[in-house]
Amino acid sequence: MNKLGVHAHVWEHGWTKEQATRAINNSAEVGFDFIEAPSLDPSSINPDETSKLLEQAGIGIAFSMGLGFDSDISSCDPAKEKRGKSLLLDAVSVCRDCGGKSIQGILYSGFGKYFVQPTKEGIARSAEILREVAEEAAKSDIMLGLEVVNRYETNICNTAAQGVEMCKLVGASNVKVHLDVYHMNIEESDISSAIIDSAPYLGYFHTGDSHRGYLGTGSIDLQSVFRALVKAKYAGPITFESFSSKVVGQPLEGILAIWRNLWEDGFDLATHALMYTKAQLKAAQEVERQAERSRLL
Ligand code: MN
């Protein structure tokens, strides 16, 4: 069974004690299994407070982050590599101390718009550093999910196939592909086959819609997406990610270009997303049983 999660930005843009309390309690009240907390700056998360809140609410946690251009491990600049590796290792410690089991996002490059091609050397260095971080993460049974994002947010992994290639390059069993349907809608030729083809490496999945608002109110064929996930026998976490200028603050507002108010009420948005996801998954599972049920003999 897939664990279902919700991105913290549906509730709050930061992680002070008050914000973490509201975000965690709301996620639990709606019925999610876990919350995904951004850890762009791992030092902004207090693991003691966070793990207590999670325990009280009875839900789990996952983390997501993107490296800054000054900590880009694909830059071949030793000072930036060092900062990037140390940020990733800090995130591993925070995740471990909060009882989390995964860190996702743009862990392999800067998070934002590049104006130049990636280099072979840069990709190789990124993979090497990730292998070292993965080794540390493995000690706490933590998975690293390399998020495949659109061309305006990285110059390395824009397609699921590139994500799989990067995973192979890193070559650690706890490094997986993280797919996000919002980005896939921009870059993939065929979203369903991309999901099915990358299934052996798929470790984390973000749902959302074309405008990152209410699920099912954009132009993405979500029915096919959920059918592909079930067909691929994907049993990992599925997290609903949505952004509105109502909640998002800097730096994500700027990097992700969240200029519109796509919703006002995060509670209504998240309640609908959970209901929608469960209904889509159930329908997709029933689709898989049709052939068996339709046999003549
Ligand atoms: Mn995402």
Side-chain angles (χ1 to χ4, degrees):
M1 268 296 271
N2 307 96
K3 293 255 192 245
L4 303 181
V6 62
H7 194 281
H9 271 63
V10 162
W11 314 115
E12 299 289 340
H13 69 268
W15 203 257
T16 63
K17 190 175 183 186
E18 292 66 35
Q19 289 171 319
T21 305
R22 281 194 295 268
I24 289 171
N25 290 348
N26 284 347
S27 303
E29 193 182 335
V30 171
F32 285 98
D33 301 309
F34 69 97
I35 185 168
E36 179 184 310
S39 56
L40 291 161
D41 172 11
S43 68
S44 66
I45 293 165
N46 180 327
D48 286 345
E49 271 172 18
T50 302
S51 40
K52 268 190 210 114
L53 288 166
L54 291 166
E55 201 185 316
Q56 282 161 10
I59 62 168
I61 194 163
F63 291 93
S64 56
M65 66 190 291
L67 296 172
F69 288 112
D70 65 343
S71 51
D72 179 0
I73 60 170
S74 72
S75 62
C76 290
D77 174 328
K80 292 179 184 174
E81 285 182 358
K82 199 174 161 203
R83 279 195 290 271
K85 185 178 173 186
S86 134
L87 266 176
L88 292 169
L89 289 172
D90 287 351
V92 169
S93 306
V94 165
C95 179
R96 177 198 61 212
D97 296 344
C98 290
K101 289 293 165 213
S102 68
I103 305 167
Q104 287 77 217
I106 303 102
L107 312 179
Y108 50 83
S109 78
F111 171 30
K113 169 119 171 51
Y114 279 80
F115 290 85
V116 290
Q117 296 280 349
T119 64
K120 257 191 180 159
E121 298 72 26
I123 292 170
R125 278 301 293 148
S126 170
E128 274 170 48
I129 294 166
L130 282 171
R131 194 177 311 126
E132 292 161 12
V133 175
E135 211 173 292
E136 204 48 44
K139 292 178 189 163
S140 310
D141 199 21
I142 290 171
M143 177 199 82
L144 304 180
L146 308 183
E147 185 169 16
V148 175
V149 296
N150 73 72
R151 64 189 68 192
Y152 306 108
E153 294 178 35
T154 184
N155 61 356
I156 299 184
C157 297
N158 297 143
T159 67
Q162 291 173 327
V164 169
E165 216 179 317
M166 193 65 183
C167 277
K168 287 181 180 169
L169 209 56
V170 177
S173 59
N174 60 330
V175 174
K176 302 272 192 188
V177 175
H178 164 193
L179 294 180
D180 177 321
V181 72
Y182 162 78
H183 299 289
M184 298 184 88
N185 180 54
I186 297 171
E187 301 291 354
E188 301 291 348
S189 301
D190 180 337
I191 298 180
S192 299
S193 21
I195 291 171
I196 290 164
D197 292 348
S198 52
Y201 287 88
L202 189 55
Y204 199 84
F205 198 84
H206 270 166
T207 57
D209 218 318
S210 50
H211 44 36
R212 315 198 95 166
Y214 273 77
L215 265 189
T217 67
S219 61
I220 300 180
D221 175 7
L222 287 167
Q223 186 185 64
S224 299
V225 170
F226 283 102
R227 285 184 181 189
L229 285 170
V230 169
K231 205 178 180 89
K233 298 193 167 37
Y234 175 67
I238 298 177
T239 301
F240 172 60
E241 186 175 46
S242 178
F243 298 98
S244 172
S245 52
K246 169 88 180 166
V247 171
V248 75
Q250 291 294 358
L252 282 183
E253 177 179 64
I255 301 171
L256 302 175
I258 308 302
W259 314 131
R260 282 187 288 148
N261 211 0
L262 283 154
W263 42 262
E264 298 280 343
D265 180 350
F267 207 92
D268 187 58
L269 173 92
T271 304
H272 168 262
L274 185 61
M275 191 164 63
Y276 188 96
T277 303
K278 283 184 174 170
Q280 288 280 351
L281 281 172
K282 171 69 179 160
Q285 284 149 5
E286 291 304 321
V287 168
E288 289 299 295
R289 292 180 192 121
Q290 286 310 307
E292 182 63 29
R293 286 180 178 147
S294 309
R295 279 169 130 179
L296 286 177
L297 295 170

